[in-house]
Amino acid sequence: MSAPVPLDLLVIGAGPAGARAALRARSCGLSVLLVDENPGAGGQVWRPLPAAFERRGDAPPSPEARDGDALRHELRRSGVKSLFGHKVWNIGSDLRTDVIGPDGSRSWHPRALLVATGTTERVVPFPGWTLPGVIGLAAATILLKSQNMLPGRRTVVAGSGPLLLAVANGILKAGGEVAAVVDIASRGEWLRTLPSLTGRPDLVWQGMQWQWRLRAAGVPVLYRHAVRAVESAGNGFGVRIGPVDASGRPLERAGVERVWQADAVAVGHGLVPGTDVTRLLRARHRFVRERGGWIAQADADGRTSVPGLYIAGDGAGIAGAAAAGAHGEIAALACALDLGVLDAGTHARLRAPLASQWARSARFGHAMAGLMALRAGAVAGIAADTVVCRCEDVTRAQIDAAVREGARDVNQLKAWTRCGMGPCQGRTCGDVAGALVAAQVGGREAAGFFTGRAPLRPVSLAEVAGEYTYADIPIPKAAPL
Amino acid sequence: MSARTNNTQPWDAVVIGGGVMGCSTALHLAQGGMRVALVDRGPLCREASGVNAGTLTLHMTRAALIPYAMRAWQMWMEAERWLGMGVLATGVPGLTLAFTDAECELVEVRAKARREFGAPIEVISPQRARQIEPGLHPSLLKAGYCEIDGFASAYLTGRAFRHALTRAGVTVFENAPVEAVDSGDGGHAVRLAAAAGLAPLRTRRVVLAGGVWIENMLAWLGVNIPVKVLINQLVVTERIRPVMRTVLSVASGLLSLKQFANGTVLIGGGWQGEGDRERGGVEARPQNLVGNMRLAAYAVPALSEARVARIWLGLEAETADAMPIIGDVPGASHAWVIGSAHSGYTSGPFMGRILAQHILGQTPELPLFDPARLLGMPMPGA
């Protein structure tokens, strides 16, 4: 293994927060490495096209594609060193960062590490959620944005939050059919978010356009409803949909459930901040339901409890893409200040406009995050035989039984049931499993979160081991006989 | 259960430390008729006992401990019977591999030494080894072979013991760190941290079963016996197609390898990571991670393509002579200590049983390991 390469700042994640942070840090004079597992910068919101794809000449690019292209252009000219298609798989307590790419594993040793890894989609499980053809809302946006692909011919779009409207409109725009939009929230909840849109006429306008398009296409929008089950039916699905109360709990009235025919379901119940890195590095965390769940404790500039470790963007608590860019730049300025390349006066002058930009954007983002927050009744309503951990096929009944037997936190639950032990390492089930345990042990703090472990992304033994002979293995002295 | 327990009547025994050794001691004391409390600063079996590689092998057991390990192996295989719940213990043959001349020598010497203590280990040709385990690297020169080997899923240990302890009437206090043991005439008072919200546990007898923290526990009773802390790295892969069926180790003992029924492969062997008694396991050492994975992928080349799902650390205790510390606390009355067995998970259930026999006034099935021998013994390399 070659020695880690020293540098000032390593940024993980090239979405709005990470990319803007890298640009700002570079402009302050820091040496910056930006790493992302995707083929280019942009993150989920400005997702780049896959290699070998190009936009058709006659189709005007969407505003998001335009913004993404501008960001990628700016990065190329900035002096930020970027590694795309590379995975950060391990980080040491001294911030040594191991990165795997096509040429094997290499290590960097930054003075500061900024984590901008965004979020993971949450799905509150229901029977059939693991069937092929049932995908996340975020997954549907990837299909639509990066490859102009439809999830199916006729899609049920279900769950909560602004992605519902975005996905339904994306499908209509790409020529697909939306069977129904199924929203846990009520129309009233949406109306109550309107004050947060003050100062964002662009978003008001976009929202109205989306509503009009749904209406024009005759798409039914079912508020206070949820998908109860997806069952295979012929070449498609029968999607059982019924009403819920404000907590998301299914209402059991006779005759209220209806089966909708579709061949795809896009479903998501909000976003969970990605805390893999901060958990691995044992930063302090706190549970904030309306920001997505567990997040690393940090000050307004993204400084965590671990010296040299910063967070920005939705991974620091959901505030939306618009706020993420400003947050990334604020955190980058904090790095520059802490690393001594910026004096306090300059820092304050540069930070002030970003702070007001962040506050304006975060107002709306926080309102949306509130709509996407996990609802207790939805978790309580998960049926006993429904799989919660899809990597290891652990059902709700198995989780409840383990808690009854004495697994009083999620890590003991993990040991006793394998919930969260599979390839995703609990990224998919962790939030819901935590809520199920919390309901019986007196809260999310008591239930805790899965201990962070390397690798942050799965790596093969061959990738880590590299080329070697037996003589290259530094076998320590034999154990005592 | 804990809050309602009548805490005014003294316990017959309080066991401090809820790993395999402490759980087994508490269980066997309760089965012997005692009223027992088990206290742990965290949940049951979540340190070494729950995170070790689960190897139930004789190849890596210290020669003198073979008779203990063989009895414990039987206990693990029959866990459903005496715990009421299993730990997926699976009996398969074990092979210890030699790829160099020096390792061949080591295999011969170590097999002989362990055979003398009753381990049915024979040295076999590479051809025969590859008949038993076809996926082995073709450069294999020699192998030690033992029919008695196997593995458990260590993460299930806490669940199984909790089930058994509950049935046996042992009161379990989890997340209750002990701050001190005050000893006086006729008994001890086990003082718990304020956060536990419990009055001191008054008891006739106290058993210290704190794994790598035994050194600190002995200090409560004024006894100074150094215990070294090993920080073992462990790696588990995602589920893969069947690539092996035995438990594999190398002559030096620095590899343990097995594939569970669910398809995951666990790579251990005691490569050292960062950490200490105070902070626990902190992180893997990159060069040791690479070394351990190279060794695993060398032994079974098909493992190269497996993806690593998780890396973690487990603490192991070692005394100055690398033998267990099981018996009376020197100079203390009605106080016992148990721990620091090499391959402690393998032997743990049996070690707890023989200490319980001793405390109950019976003759243990096999001799204990007198802690007094370690007083004043210098720690090698210290």
Side-chain angles (χ1 to χ4, degrees), chain A residues 92-93 96 392 405 411-412 415-416 418 421 425 453-455 458-462 465 468 470 474 478-479 481, chain B residues 43-44 46 62 103 110 155 159 162 238-239 252 262 271 283 286 290 294 298 304 306-311:
Chain A
S93 55
R96 182 211 73 250
E392 296 291 332
E405 280 178 46
N411 288 301
Q412 194 73 317
W416 288 15
R418 291 189 63 83
M421 260 197 209
Q425 287 294 290
R453 300 281 182 217
V459 286
S460 74
L461 264 69
Y468 66 100
Y470 194 69
L481 175 62
Chain B
L44 288 189
R46 272 271 291 287
R62 298 209 65 195
E103 288 174 353
R110 297 193 154 209
Y155 53 79
R159 188 173 198 174
R162 171 175 270 282
E238 293 179 0
R239 296 164 187 243
S252 62
N262 65 20
W271 290 67
E283 60 193 332
V290 172
R294 282 182 172 180
Y298 187 90
S304 298
R307 297 202 306 175
V308 175
R310 194 164 57 256
I311 299 163

Short mmCIF file of all heavy atoms in Angstrom, two decimals, chain A residues 92-93 96 392 405 411-412 415-416 418 421 425 453-455 458-462 465 468 470 474 478-479 481, chain B residues 43-44 46 62 103 110 155 159 162 238-239 252 262 271 283 286 290 294 298 304 306-311:
data_model
loop_
_atom_site.label_atom_id
_atom_site.label_comp_id
_atom_site.label_asym_id
_atom_site.label_seq_id
_atom_site.Cartn_x
_atom_site.Cartn_y
_atom_site.Cartn_z
N GLY A 92 -10.27 6.48 8.21
CA GLY A 92 -9.67 6.29 9.53
C GLY A 92 -9.99 7.47 10.44
O GLY A 92 -10.46 8.52 9.99
N SER A 93 -9.71 7.30 11.74
CA SER A 93 -10.02 8.37 12.68
C SER A 93 -9.11 9.58 12.45
O SER A 93 -9.40 10.67 12.91
CB SER A 93 -9.90 7.86 14.12
OG SER A 93 -8.62 7.31 14.32
N ARG A 96 -7.79 9.64 7.24
CA ARG A 96 -7.26 8.95 6.06
C ARG A 96 -8.43 8.33 5.30
O ARG A 96 -9.28 7.66 5.88
CB ARG A 96 -6.30 7.84 6.47
CG ARG A 96 -5.64 7.10 5.31
CD ARG A 96 -5.34 5.65 5.62
NE ARG A 96 -6.55 4.84 5.65
CZ ARG A 96 -7.08 4.32 6.73
NH1 ARG A 96 -6.51 4.51 7.90
NH2 ARG A 96 -8.19 3.61 6.67
N GLU A 392 -32.09 -9.28 4.25
CA GLU A 392 -32.03 -10.50 5.06
C GLU A 392 -33.41 -11.10 5.32
O GLU A 392 -33.55 -12.01 6.14
CB GLU A 392 -31.33 -10.19 6.39
CG GLU A 392 -29.88 -9.76 6.24
CD GLU A 392 -28.99 -10.91 5.77
OE1 GLU A 392 -29.29 -12.07 6.05
OE2 GLU A 392 -27.98 -10.61 5.08
N GLU A 405 -38.21 -10.27 23.50
CA GLU A 405 -37.28 -11.16 24.20
C GLU A 405 -36.16 -10.40 24.88
O GLU A 405 -35.38 -10.99 25.63
CB GLU A 405 -36.66 -12.16 23.21
CG GLU A 405 -37.54 -13.33 22.88
CD GLU A 405 -36.85 -14.23 21.87
OE1 GLU A 405 -35.65 -14.53 22.05
OE2 GLU A 405 -37.50 -14.60 20.89
N ASN A 411 -28.94 -2.29 17.65
CA ASN A 411 -27.77 -3.13 17.42
C ASN A 411 -27.96 -4.54 17.99
O ASN A 411 -27.51 -5.52 17.40
CB ASN A 411 -26.51 -2.47 17.98
CG ASN A 411 -26.11 -1.28 17.13
OD1 ASN A 411 -25.84 -1.43 15.95
ND2 ASN A 411 -26.12 -0.09 17.72
N GLN A 412 -28.65 -4.63 19.13
CA GLN A 412 -28.97 -5.96 19.64
C GLN A 412 -29.98 -6.62 18.70
O GLN A 412 -29.90 -7.81 18.42
CB GLN A 412 -29.51 -5.85 21.08
CG GLN A 412 -29.57 -7.17 21.84
CD GLN A 412 -28.21 -7.70 22.26
OE1 GLN A 412 -27.26 -7.66 21.49
NE2 GLN A 412 -28.10 -8.19 23.48
N ALA A 415 -28.08 -8.09 15.85
CA ALA A 415 -27.40 -9.33 16.19
C ALA A 415 -28.38 -10.50 16.29
O ALA A 415 -28.09 -11.61 15.90
CB ALA A 415 -26.64 -9.17 17.51
N TRP A 416 -29.55 -10.23 16.80
CA TRP A 416 -30.48 -11.32 17.07
C TRP A 416 -31.27 -11.74 15.84
O TRP A 416 -31.79 -12.85 15.79
CB TRP A 416 -31.45 -10.92 18.19
CG TRP A 416 -30.80 -10.86 19.54
CD1 TRP A 416 -29.46 -10.84 19.81
CD2 TRP A 416 -31.45 -10.82 20.80
NE1 TRP A 416 -29.26 -10.78 21.15
CE2 TRP A 416 -30.45 -10.77 21.79
CE3 TRP A 416 -32.79 -10.82 21.20
CZ2 TRP A 416 -30.75 -10.72 23.15
CZ3 TRP A 416 -33.09 -10.76 22.56
CH2 TRP A 416 -32.08 -10.72 23.52
N ARG A 418 -30.42 -10.47 12.29
CA ARG A 418 -29.72 -10.10 11.05
C ARG A 418 -30.37 -8.91 10.36
O ARG A 418 -29.98 -8.55 9.24
CB ARG A 418 -29.61 -11.28 10.08
CG ARG A 418 -28.68 -12.37 10.55
CD ARG A 418 -28.42 -13.42 9.47
NE ARG A 418 -27.76 -12.89 8.30
CZ ARG A 418 -26.44 -12.70 8.19
NH1 ARG A 418 -25.64 -13.00 9.19
NH2 ARG A 418 -25.93 -12.20 7.08
N MET A 421 -28.02 -6.44 8.47
CA MET A 421 -26.69 -7.06 8.32
C MET A 421 -26.34 -7.33 6.86
O MET A 421 -25.24 -7.82 6.58
CB MET A 421 -26.63 -8.38 9.08
CG MET A 421 -25.95 -8.30 10.41
SD MET A 421 -25.49 -9.95 10.98
CE MET A 421 -25.57 -9.70 12.74
N GLN A 425 -26.35 -2.77 4.52
CA GLN A 425 -25.91 -2.38 5.86
C GLN A 425 -26.91 -1.48 6.59
O GLN A 425 -26.53 -0.57 7.32
CB GLN A 425 -24.52 -1.73 5.79
CG GLN A 425 -23.42 -2.75 5.51
CD GLN A 425 -23.26 -3.72 6.66
OE1 GLN A 425 -22.80 -3.38 7.72
NE2 GLN A 425 -23.70 -4.96 6.46
N ARG A 453 -20.01 1.03 10.26
CA ARG A 453 -18.89 0.11 9.99
C ARG A 453 -18.37 0.32 8.59
O ARG A 453 -19.13 0.65 7.68
CB ARG A 453 -19.36 -1.34 10.08
CG ARG A 453 -19.92 -1.77 11.41
CD ARG A 453 -18.83 -2.07 12.42
NE ARG A 453 -19.40 -2.54 13.68
CZ ARG A 453 -18.91 -2.23 14.87
NH1 ARG A 453 -17.85 -1.47 14.98
NH2 ARG A 453 -19.47 -2.69 15.96
N ALA A 454 -17.07 0.07 8.43
CA ALA A 454 -16.50 -0.04 7.09
C ALA A 454 -16.90 -1.42 6.56
O ALA A 454 -17.14 -2.32 7.35
CB ALA A 454 -14.99 0.09 7.16
N PRO A 455 -16.92 -1.63 5.23
CA PRO A 455 -16.73 -0.62 4.21
C PRO A 455 -18.00 0.22 4.00
O PRO A 455 -19.10 -0.26 4.17
CB PRO A 455 -16.44 -1.46 2.96
CG PRO A 455 -17.17 -2.74 3.19
CD PRO A 455 -17.11 -2.98 4.67
N PRO A 458 -19.67 -1.72 -0.52
CA PRO A 458 -19.04 -3.04 -0.64
C PRO A 458 -17.84 -2.99 -1.60
O PRO A 458 -17.89 -2.34 -2.64
CB PRO A 458 -20.15 -3.91 -1.24
CG PRO A 458 -21.42 -3.20 -0.93
CD PRO A 458 -21.07 -1.74 -0.93
N VAL A 459 -16.75 -3.63 -1.18
CA VAL A 459 -15.57 -3.74 -2.06
C VAL A 459 -15.19 -5.21 -2.11
O VAL A 459 -15.38 -5.95 -1.14
CB VAL A 459 -14.37 -2.93 -1.52
CG1 VAL A 459 -14.60 -1.46 -1.71
CG2 VAL A 459 -14.10 -3.24 -0.05
N SER A 460 -14.66 -5.66 -3.24
CA SER A 460 -14.29 -7.07 -3.34
C SER A 460 -12.93 -7.28 -2.68
O SER A 460 -12.11 -6.36 -2.58
CB SER A 460 -14.26 -7.52 -4.79
OG SER A 460 -13.13 -6.99 -5.43
N LEU A 461 -12.69 -8.52 -2.26
CA LEU A 461 -11.38 -8.86 -1.70
C LEU A 461 -10.29 -8.56 -2.72
O LEU A 461 -9.21 -8.07 -2.36
CB LEU A 461 -11.34 -10.34 -1.31
CG LEU A 461 -11.62 -10.64 0.16
CD1 LEU A 461 -13.06 -10.36 0.50
CD2 LEU A 461 -11.24 -12.05 0.52
N ALA A 462 -10.58 -8.85 -3.99
CA ALA A 462 -9.57 -8.61 -5.04
C ALA A 462 -9.20 -7.13 -5.10
O ALA A 462 -8.03 -6.79 -5.25
CB ALA A 462 -10.09 -9.09 -6.38
N ALA A 465 -7.11 -6.46 -1.96
CA ALA A 465 -5.86 -7.22 -1.89
C ALA A 465 -4.86 -6.79 -2.96
O ALA A 465 -3.66 -6.83 -2.73
CB ALA A 465 -6.15 -8.72 -2.01
N TYR A 468 -0.47 -9.66 -5.67
CA TYR A 468 0.47 -10.05 -4.62
C TYR A 468 0.85 -11.52 -4.79
O TYR A 468 0.17 -12.28 -5.47
CB TYR A 468 -0.14 -9.84 -3.23
CG TYR A 468 -1.33 -10.74 -2.94
CD1 TYR A 468 -1.17 -11.87 -2.17
CD2 TYR A 468 -2.59 -10.44 -3.44
CE1 TYR A 468 -2.25 -12.71 -1.91
CE2 TYR A 468 -3.68 -11.26 -3.18
CZ TYR A 468 -3.50 -12.40 -2.41
OH TYR A 468 -4.56 -13.22 -2.16
N TYR A 470 2.36 -14.95 -2.20
CA TYR A 470 2.26 -15.36 -0.80
C TYR A 470 3.32 -14.67 0.05
O TYR A 470 3.06 -14.29 1.19
CB TYR A 470 2.39 -16.88 -0.69
CG TYR A 470 1.95 -17.42 0.66
CD1 TYR A 470 0.62 -17.38 1.03
CD2 TYR A 470 2.88 -17.94 1.56
CE1 TYR A 470 0.20 -17.86 2.27
CE2 TYR A 470 2.48 -18.42 2.81
CZ TYR A 470 1.14 -18.38 3.15
OH TYR A 470 0.73 -18.84 4.38
N PRO A 474 2.31 -9.98 4.90
CA PRO A 474 3.11 -9.80 6.12
C PRO A 474 2.50 -10.56 7.29
O PRO A 474 1.91 -9.98 8.19
CB PRO A 474 3.06 -8.29 6.33
CG PRO A 474 1.73 -7.88 5.75
CD PRO A 474 1.42 -8.84 4.64
N ALA A 478 3.55 -16.34 14.88
CA ALA A 478 2.52 -17.33 15.19
C ALA A 478 1.92 -17.12 16.58
O ALA A 478 2.59 -16.65 17.50
CB ALA A 478 3.13 -18.73 15.09
N ALA A 479 0.65 -17.46 16.70
CA ALA A 479 -0.04 -17.39 17.99
C ALA A 479 0.58 -18.41 18.93
O ALA A 479 1.17 -19.39 18.49
CB ALA A 479 -1.52 -17.67 17.78
N LEU A 481 1.26 -21.54 21.30
CA LEU A 481 0.78 -22.92 21.18
C LEU A 481 0.21 -23.38 22.51
O LEU A 481 0.90 -23.38 23.50
CB LEU A 481 1.95 -23.81 20.75
CG LEU A 481 1.66 -25.32 20.69
CD1 LEU A 481 0.58 -25.63 19.68
CD2 LEU A 481 2.94 -26.07 20.35
N PRO B 43 -25.61 -4.43 26.90
CA PRO B 43 -26.46 -5.60 26.71
C PRO B 43 -25.63 -6.89 26.74
O PRO B 43 -24.42 -6.85 26.57
CB PRO B 43 -27.08 -5.40 25.31
CG PRO B 43 -26.74 -3.99 24.92
CD PRO B 43 -25.50 -3.63 25.67
N LEU B 44 -26.29 -8.03 26.92
CA LEU B 44 -25.61 -9.32 27.02
C LEU B 44 -24.83 -9.65 25.74
O LEU B 44 -25.31 -9.42 24.64
CB LEU B 44 -26.63 -10.45 27.23
CG LEU B 44 -27.31 -10.56 28.58
CD1 LEU B 44 -28.11 -11.87 28.64
CD2 LEU B 44 -26.32 -10.48 29.72
N ARG B 46 -22.36 -8.61 23.93
CA ARG B 46 -22.19 -7.69 22.80
C ARG B 46 -20.74 -7.27 22.64
O ARG B 46 -20.40 -6.53 21.73
CB ARG B 46 -23.10 -6.47 22.96
CG ARG B 46 -24.47 -6.70 22.36
CD ARG B 46 -24.52 -6.31 20.89
NE ARG B 46 -24.42 -4.88 20.76
CZ ARG B 46 -25.39 -4.04 21.08
NH1 ARG B 46 -26.54 -4.48 21.51
NH2 ARG B 46 -25.22 -2.76 20.96
N ARG B 62 -5.00 -23.40 22.43
CA ARG B 62 -3.72 -23.75 23.08
C ARG B 62 -3.77 -25.22 23.48
O ARG B 62 -4.78 -25.71 23.99
CB ARG B 62 -3.48 -22.87 24.30
CG ARG B 62 -3.37 -21.39 23.93
CD ARG B 62 -2.49 -20.64 24.90
NE ARG B 62 -1.11 -21.13 24.83
CZ ARG B 62 -0.20 -20.88 25.74
NH1 ARG B 62 -0.50 -20.16 26.79
NH2 ARG B 62 1.04 -21.32 25.60
N GLU B 103 6.07 -23.38 7.38
CA GLU B 103 4.71 -23.65 7.84
C GLU B 103 4.45 -25.15 7.95
O GLU B 103 3.70 -25.59 8.83
CB GLU B 103 3.70 -22.97 6.91
CG GLU B 103 3.70 -21.45 7.08
CD GLU B 103 2.82 -20.73 6.07
OE1 GLU B 103 2.31 -21.38 5.14
OE2 GLU B 103 2.67 -19.51 6.21
N ARG B 110 2.81 -28.51 15.78
CA ARG B 110 1.60 -28.12 16.50
C ARG B 110 0.58 -29.25 16.53
O ARG B 110 -0.13 -29.43 17.53
CB ARG B 110 1.03 -26.85 15.88
CG ARG B 110 2.03 -25.70 16.03
CD ARG B 110 1.48 -24.34 15.74
NE ARG B 110 2.28 -23.38 16.49
CZ ARG B 110 1.86 -22.22 16.95
NH1 ARG B 110 0.62 -21.85 16.71
NH2 ARG B 110 2.64 -21.43 17.63
N TYR B 155 -23.09 -13.88 16.88
CA TYR B 155 -24.05 -12.80 17.19
C TYR B 155 -25.33 -13.31 17.83
O TYR B 155 -26.09 -12.53 18.39
CB TYR B 155 -24.34 -11.96 15.94
CG TYR B 155 -24.79 -12.73 14.73
CD1 TYR B 155 -26.10 -13.18 14.60
CD2 TYR B 155 -23.91 -13.00 13.69
CE1 TYR B 155 -26.51 -13.89 13.48
CE2 TYR B 155 -24.31 -13.70 12.57
CZ TYR B 155 -25.61 -14.14 12.46
OH TYR B 155 -26.01 -14.84 11.35
N ARG B 159 -28.76 -13.85 22.52
CA ARG B 159 -30.17 -14.23 22.47
C ARG B 159 -30.39 -15.59 23.12
O ARG B 159 -31.31 -15.79 23.90
CB ARG B 159 -30.65 -14.24 21.02
CG ARG B 159 -32.13 -14.44 20.91
CD ARG B 159 -32.62 -14.27 19.48
NE ARG B 159 -34.06 -14.04 19.50
CZ ARG B 159 -34.79 -13.74 18.44
NH1 ARG B 159 -34.21 -13.60 17.27
NH2 ARG B 159 -36.08 -13.54 18.54
N ARG B 162 -29.76 -15.37 26.91
CA ARG B 162 -30.83 -14.65 27.60
C ARG B 162 -32.02 -15.58 27.81
O ARG B 162 -32.64 -15.62 28.87
CB ARG B 162 -31.26 -13.41 26.82
CG ARG B 162 -32.52 -12.78 27.39
CD ARG B 162 -32.85 -11.50 26.68
NE ARG B 162 -32.22 -10.36 27.32
CZ ARG B 162 -32.69 -9.80 28.43
NH1 ARG B 162 -33.75 -10.28 29.04
NH2 ARG B 162 -32.10 -8.74 28.93
N GLU B 238 -20.43 -10.52 1.66
CA GLU B 238 -21.81 -10.73 1.25
C GLU B 238 -22.02 -12.23 0.99
O GLU B 238 -21.06 -13.00 0.91
CB GLU B 238 -22.10 -9.94 -0.03
CG GLU B 238 -22.06 -8.45 0.16
CD GLU B 238 -22.33 -7.68 -1.12
OE1 GLU B 238 -22.55 -8.31 -2.17
OE2 GLU B 238 -22.31 -6.44 -1.06
N ARG B 239 -23.27 -12.62 0.83
CA ARG B 239 -23.56 -14.02 0.51
C ARG B 239 -22.97 -14.36 -0.86
O ARG B 239 -23.15 -13.59 -1.81
CB ARG B 239 -25.07 -14.24 0.43
CG ARG B 239 -25.77 -14.01 1.74
CD ARG B 239 -27.26 -13.86 1.55
NE ARG B 239 -27.87 -13.47 2.80
CZ ARG B 239 -28.77 -14.22 3.45
NH1 ARG B 239 -29.18 -15.35 2.95
NH2 ARG B 239 -29.26 -13.82 4.61
N SER B 252 0.32 -20.72 11.12
CA SER B 252 0.66 -19.73 12.15
C SER B 252 -0.54 -19.41 13.04
O SER B 252 -0.39 -18.76 14.06
CB SER B 252 1.15 -18.46 11.48
OG SER B 252 0.11 -17.93 10.68
N ASN B 262 -25.78 -19.38 5.25
CA ASN B 262 -26.42 -18.29 4.49
C ASN B 262 -25.54 -17.78 3.35
O ASN B 262 -25.94 -16.88 2.62
CB ASN B 262 -26.85 -17.15 5.42
CG ASN B 262 -25.67 -16.45 6.07
OD1 ASN B 262 -24.54 -16.53 5.61
ND2 ASN B 262 -25.93 -15.74 7.16
N TRP B 271 -5.69 -10.68 13.22
CA TRP B 271 -4.89 -9.54 12.74
C TRP B 271 -5.32 -8.32 13.56
O TRP B 271 -6.51 -8.11 13.80
CB TRP B 271 -5.12 -9.31 11.24
CG TRP B 271 -4.53 -10.39 10.39
CD1 TRP B 271 -4.94 -11.69 10.34
CD2 TRP B 271 -3.41 -10.28 9.49
NE1 TRP B 271 -4.14 -12.40 9.47
CE2 TRP B 271 -3.20 -11.56 8.93
CE3 TRP B 271 -2.57 -9.23 9.10
CZ2 TRP B 271 -2.19 -11.82 7.99
CZ3 TRP B 271 -1.57 -9.49 8.18
CH2 TRP B 271 -1.37 -10.76 7.64
N GLU B 283 -10.57 1.10 15.15
CA GLU B 283 -10.63 0.94 13.70
C GLU B 283 -9.61 -0.10 13.25
O GLU B 283 -8.67 -0.42 13.96
CB GLU B 283 -10.34 2.27 12.99
CG GLU B 283 -8.96 2.82 13.32
CD GLU B 283 -8.83 4.27 12.88
OE1 GLU B 283 -9.51 4.66 11.92
OE2 GLU B 283 -8.05 5.00 13.51
N PRO B 286 -5.17 -0.44 8.09
CA PRO B 286 -5.29 -0.75 6.66
C PRO B 286 -4.36 -1.86 6.21
O PRO B 286 -4.76 -2.78 5.50
CB PRO B 286 -4.94 0.57 5.99
CG PRO B 286 -5.24 1.62 7.00
CD PRO B 286 -5.00 0.99 8.34
N VAL B 290 -5.47 -5.49 4.59
CA VAL B 290 -4.98 -6.00 3.31
C VAL B 290 -4.34 -7.37 3.52
O VAL B 290 -4.60 -8.31 2.78
CB VAL B 290 -3.98 -5.01 2.68
CG1 VAL B 290 -3.31 -5.63 1.46
CG2 VAL B 290 -4.69 -3.71 2.29
N ARG B 294 -5.63 -10.77 1.86
CA ARG B 294 -4.73 -11.47 0.93
C ARG B 294 -4.61 -12.94 1.34
O ARG B 294 -4.66 -13.83 0.49
CB ARG B 294 -3.35 -10.82 0.93
CG ARG B 294 -3.31 -9.55 0.11
CD ARG B 294 -1.92 -8.94 0.09
NE ARG B 294 -1.89 -7.83 -0.85
CZ ARG B 294 -0.81 -7.09 -1.10
NH1 ARG B 294 0.32 -7.35 -0.46
NH2 ARG B 294 -0.86 -6.11 -1.97
N TYR B 298 -5.87 -15.96 -0.81
CA TYR B 298 -4.83 -16.88 -1.28
C TYR B 298 -5.25 -18.32 -0.96
O TYR B 298 -5.18 -19.19 -1.83
CB TYR B 298 -3.48 -16.56 -0.62
CG TYR B 298 -2.35 -17.38 -1.21
CD1 TYR B 298 -1.63 -16.89 -2.29
CD2 TYR B 298 -2.02 -18.63 -0.71
CE1 TYR B 298 -0.61 -17.63 -2.87
CE2 TYR B 298 -1.01 -19.39 -1.28
CZ TYR B 298 -0.30 -18.88 -2.36
OH TYR B 298 0.69 -19.62 -2.93
N SER B 304 -11.73 -14.21 -3.95
CA SER B 304 -11.31 -12.91 -4.49
C SER B 304 -12.50 -12.07 -4.94
O SER B 304 -12.51 -10.86 -4.77
CB SER B 304 -10.41 -13.10 -5.70
OG SER B 304 -9.27 -13.78 -5.31
N ALA B 306 -15.55 -12.18 -3.86
CA ALA B 306 -16.54 -11.87 -2.83
C ALA B 306 -16.41 -10.41 -2.43
O ALA B 306 -15.31 -9.85 -2.42
CB ALA B 306 -16.32 -12.76 -1.61
N ARG B 307 -17.54 -9.79 -2.15
CA ARG B 307 -17.49 -8.40 -1.70
C ARG B 307 -17.59 -8.35 -0.18
O ARG B 307 -18.37 -9.07 0.45
CB ARG B 307 -18.63 -7.60 -2.32
CG ARG B 307 -18.54 -7.52 -3.83
CD ARG B 307 -19.30 -6.34 -4.38
NE ARG B 307 -20.67 -6.31 -3.94
CZ ARG B 307 -21.51 -5.29 -4.21
NH1 ARG B 307 -21.09 -4.25 -4.92
NH2 ARG B 307 -22.75 -5.32 -3.79
N VAL B 308 -16.81 -7.46 0.40
CA VAL B 308 -16.81 -7.30 1.85
C VAL B 308 -18.05 -6.51 2.25
O VAL B 308 -18.32 -5.44 1.71
CB VAL B 308 -15.55 -6.52 2.31
CG1 VAL B 308 -15.61 -6.23 3.80
CG2 VAL B 308 -14.31 -7.31 1.95
N ALA B 309 -18.81 -7.07 3.17
CA ALA B 309 -20.00 -6.36 3.65
C ALA B 309 -19.70 -5.53 4.90
O ALA B 309 -20.23 -4.44 5.06
CB ALA B 309 -21.12 -7.35 3.97
N ARG B 310 -18.83 -6.06 5.75
CA ARG B 310 -18.65 -5.39 7.05
C ARG B 310 -17.32 -5.77 7.65
O ARG B 310 -16.87 -6.90 7.56
CB ARG B 310 -19.79 -5.80 7.99
CG ARG B 310 -19.96 -4.96 9.23
CD ARG B 310 -21.33 -5.18 9.88
NE ARG B 310 -21.56 -6.58 10.22
CZ ARG B 310 -22.34 -7.40 9.53
NH1 ARG B 310 -23.00 -6.97 8.49
NH2 ARG B 310 -22.48 -8.66 9.91
N ILE B 311 -16.71 -4.78 8.29
CA ILE B 311 -15.44 -4.97 9.00
C ILE B 311 -15.65 -4.50 10.43
O ILE B 311 -16.24 -3.44 10.64
CB ILE B 311 -14.32 -4.13 8.33
CG1 ILE B 311 -14.10 -4.57 6.88
CG2 ILE B 311 -13.03 -4.20 9.13
CD1 ILE B 311 -13.33 -3.56 6.04
#
